[in-house]
């Protein structure tokens, strides 16, 4: 599982694919083939945890490609990548902060998607900071798991 832990060690964000892309039969095209995953966000006050979320193969590739781009931008300039899942399940905003050489992460989770619509109409989110090394490990693990890594199949 790919995990981000903030500098203060009190926020933990995880994406854990339940199936690998290589084990998936592509139906029509990559935008119509979905991979289930566990999304988990643990904060000092709350825990969000679900295995009901999916991303298309195309979305997974897009996410990983752009997270890798964040790692390789010039360290002279700020850069932001905003990923919003096509199923409107969650949003991840990743900003490279050139002045401090840190990564700012914002995670927004659709509350209606977490509780079968019992509560709906809003997102809850958190912003936290990780260092470049932590972020790079997250991206590498996400890529590894999506293609050839451990899966729960």
């Amino acid at each position: 599982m790919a995990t981000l832990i903030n500098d203060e060690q009190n926020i933990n964000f995880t994406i854990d694919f339940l199936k690998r892309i290589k084990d998936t039969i592509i139906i029509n095209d990559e935008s119509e083939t979905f991979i289930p995953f566990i999304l988990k966000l643990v904060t000092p006050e709350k825990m969000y945890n679900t295995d009901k979320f999916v991303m298309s193969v195309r979305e997974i590739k897009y996410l990983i490609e752009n997270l890798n781009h964040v790692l390789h931008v010039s360290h002279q300039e700020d850069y932001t990548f905003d990923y919003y899942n096509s199923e409107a399940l969650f949003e991840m905003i990743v900003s490279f902060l050139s002045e401090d050489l840190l990564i700012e992460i914002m995670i927004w989770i659709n509350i209606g998607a977490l509780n079968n619509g019992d509560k709906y109409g809003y997102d809850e989110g958190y912003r936290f900071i990780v260092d470049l090394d932590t972020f790079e490990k997250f991206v590498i693990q996400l890529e590894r798991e999506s293609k050839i890594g451990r899966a729960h199949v």
Side-chain angles (χ1 to χ4, degrees):
M1 74 186 72
T3 301
L4 280 173
I5 299 173
N6 71 327
D7 286 351
E8 290 77 19
Q9 306 286 309
N10 60 0
I11 306 257
N12 184 313
F13 174 70
T14 301
I15 294 176
D16 191 6
F17 294 109
L18 299 174
K19 197 173 188 181
R20 295 176 291 230
I21 292 173
K22 75 174 193 120
D23 295 334
T24 302
I25 298 169
I26 304 297
I27 302 168
N28 295 330
D29 69 33
E30 293 180 342
S31 63
E32 296 179 19
T33 303
F34 293 92
I35 305 289
F37 67 98
I38 295 170
L39 183 132
K40 187 175 183 179
L41 177 63
V42 179
T43 73
E45 299 86 30
K46 228 170 183 181
M47 181 172 80
Y48 306 85
N49 189 10
T50 184
D51 62 359
K52 299 174 187 171
F53 285 5
V54 295
M55 272 192 269
S56 73
V57 170
R58 178 176 287 163
E59 285 181 297
I60 293 168
K61 289 179 177 181
Y62 175 77
L63 175 63
I64 291 169
E65 176 184 315
N66 283 280
L67 293 178
N68 268 309
H69 184 71
V70 171
L71 284 170
H72 298 99
V73 295
S74 167
H75 288 180
Q76 309 298 317
E77 61 187 65
D78 290 354
Y79 177 80
T80 297
F81 165 63
D82 188 350
Y83 171 79
Y84 194 69
N85 177 264
S86 67
E87 300 290 311
L89 305 172
F90 78 102
E91 180 178 19
M92 181 178 192
I93 303 167
V94 179
S95 298
F96 174 73
L97 308 174
S98 62
E99 186 175 319
D100 301 315
L101 297 177
L102 295 170
I103 304 287
E104 179 184 76
I105 308 287
M106 285 189 274
I107 304 293
W108 291 95
I109 299 173
N110 180 326
I111 295 304
L114 282 178
N115 59 37
N116 296 322
D118 292 339
K119 297 177 185 176
Y120 59 90
Y122 65 98
D123 295 348
E124 288 185 2
Y126 290 86
R127 181 178 59 198
F128 55 95
I129 302 291
V130 299
D131 61 44
L132 281 171
D133 186 51
T134 299
F135 183 71
E136 182 175 31
K137 288 175 185 172
F138 173 79
V139 175
I140 289 168
Q141 190 62 31
L142 195 64
E143 186 169 22
R144 183 178 295 141
E145 281 200 19
S146 70
K147 292 182 180 175
I148 60 169
R150 175 184 62 83
H152 302 275
V153 179

